[in-house]
Amino acid sequence: AQSVTQLDSHVSVSEGTPVLLRCNYSSSYSPSLFWYVQHPNKGLQLLLKYTSAATLVKGINGFEAEFKKSETSFHLTKPSAHMSDAAEYFCVVSRTGTASKLTFGTGTRLQVTL
Amino acid sequence: GAVVSQHPSRVICKSGTSVKIECRSLDFQATTMFWYRQFPKQSLMLMATSNEGSKATYEQGVEKDKFLINHASLTLSTLTVTSAHPEDSSFYICSAPQGSTDTQYFGPGTRLTVL
């Protein structure tokens, strides 16, 4: 069994300031963890993924996330927010090594203000 | 990265009619595809797993006779919403894993509106 908890349903930051979107997971298996971004009325785009290699994962558009097994966390960060980062972000867990079902968090809406 | 397309992107239909949504993997083969439904401001809910050459596997609470899934080839899965009603209005998204990896790639989604 596996589950994902996104701790904030809504995060608001000013342009140019850091972004932190929090995610905690639980899994009976060795997990693969993903962050996806969804812009309004669009599909999901993969930002980055962790699959048991380096614990600090770098993704597209300046995002990165750190896998912390002891804290069962996989928080998403970006040093400087851009207006185009405003979107819905989903933390997702699956079982490593299988094309299996994904378990989604409830999503965090990121708002970026001037 | 791998590309998954969906067609149509948007469809409006009358209550009682059937609507077919296509999901294609454009540059890779997918023996398995997944269909999700997303209500406004909510997360994705897995509806079913589409298996090439065999029957789809439906999640609990999803009516298999209402949401018909066909995975006729290694690059195409279709979802048909039969006898659609207004409560079926939603955003439908498909995904497919590429090769033996566990990374899934998502289609752009189909917005279904049933009048």
Side-chain angles (χ1 to χ4, degrees):
Chain A
Q2 55 196 23
S3 67
V4 177
T5 301
Q6 290 185 244
L7 298 163
D8 306 292
S9 60
H10 183 259
V11 170
S12 182
V13 300
S14 299
E15 189 175 34
T17 64
V19 175
L20 170 64
L21 305 184
R22 299 183 294 166
C23 172
N24 286 100
Y25 72 93
S26 68
S27 178
S28 303
Y29 316 110
S30 177
S32 288
L33 291 157
F34 308 83
W35 276 98
Y36 285 89
V37 61
Q38 184 182 34
H39 292 275
N41 295 308
K42 300 292 185 183
L44 276 70
Q45 180 184 19
L46 179 65
L47 280 179
L48 49 81
K49 64 177 180 178
Y50 165 78
T51 53
S52 74
T55 57
L56 181 62
V57 181
K58 294 187 183 298
I60 62 172
N61 301 335
F63 285 95
E64 63 181 41
E66 186 172 8
F67 174 73
K68 293 186 176 181
K69 186 175 181 178
S70 62
E71 299 176 9
T72 60
S73 69
F74 190 59
H75 302 333
L76 181 70
T77 61
K78 182 174 181 176
S80 176
H82 190 272
M83 294 297 289
S84 60
D85 294 328
E88 189 84 17
Y89 291 79
F90 293 99
C91 182
V92 181
V93 64
S94 74
R95 185 174 181 176
T96 297
T98 64
S100 61
K101 302 175 190 178
L102 302 180
T103 299
F104 283 79
T106 50
T108 298
R109 180 162 297 277
L110 176 63
Q111 181 182 17
V112 182
T113 59
L114 290 173
Chain B
V3 179
V4 175
S5 70
Q6 277 183 247
H7 178 80
S9 59
R10 183 181 296 268
V11 57
I12 300 172
C13 68
K14 294 182 179 180
S15 186
T17 60
S18 295
V19 174
K20 180 185 286 188
I21 302 170
E22 293 184 348
C23 176
R24 292 182 185 273
S25 54
L26 297 185
D27 51 359
F28 66 101
Q29 294 182 330
T31 56
T32 302
M33 292 183 175
F34 299 89
W35 286 97
Y36 299 84
R37 184 172 181 176
Q38 185 181 32
F39 291 104
K41 300 186 186 302
Q42 294 188 26
S43 189
L44 279 70
M45 180 191 78
L46 179 65
M47 298 175 66
T49 303
S50 173
N51 304 298
E52 190 269 334
S54 64
K55 292 183 179 180
T57 306
Y58 291 82
E59 296 300 299
Q60 190 173 9
V62 178
E63 299 175 61
K64 63 180 181 180
D65 294 330
K66 181 167 187 62
F67 298 99
L68 300 179
I69 290 173
N70 185 283
H71 196 145
S73 77
L74 288 171
T75 58
L76 173 64
S77 174
T78 60
L79 169 68
T80 301
V81 183
T82 62
S83 187
H85 288 91
E87 57 265 31
D88 298 324
S89 299
S90 191
F91 195 54
Y92 292 87
I93 305 176
C94 68
S95 73
Q98 183 184 26
S100 60
T101 71
D102 50 12
T103 301
Q104 294 194 29
Y105 295 89
F106 286 79
T110 297
R111 172 74 58 194
L112 171 63
T113 303
V114 184
L115 302 176

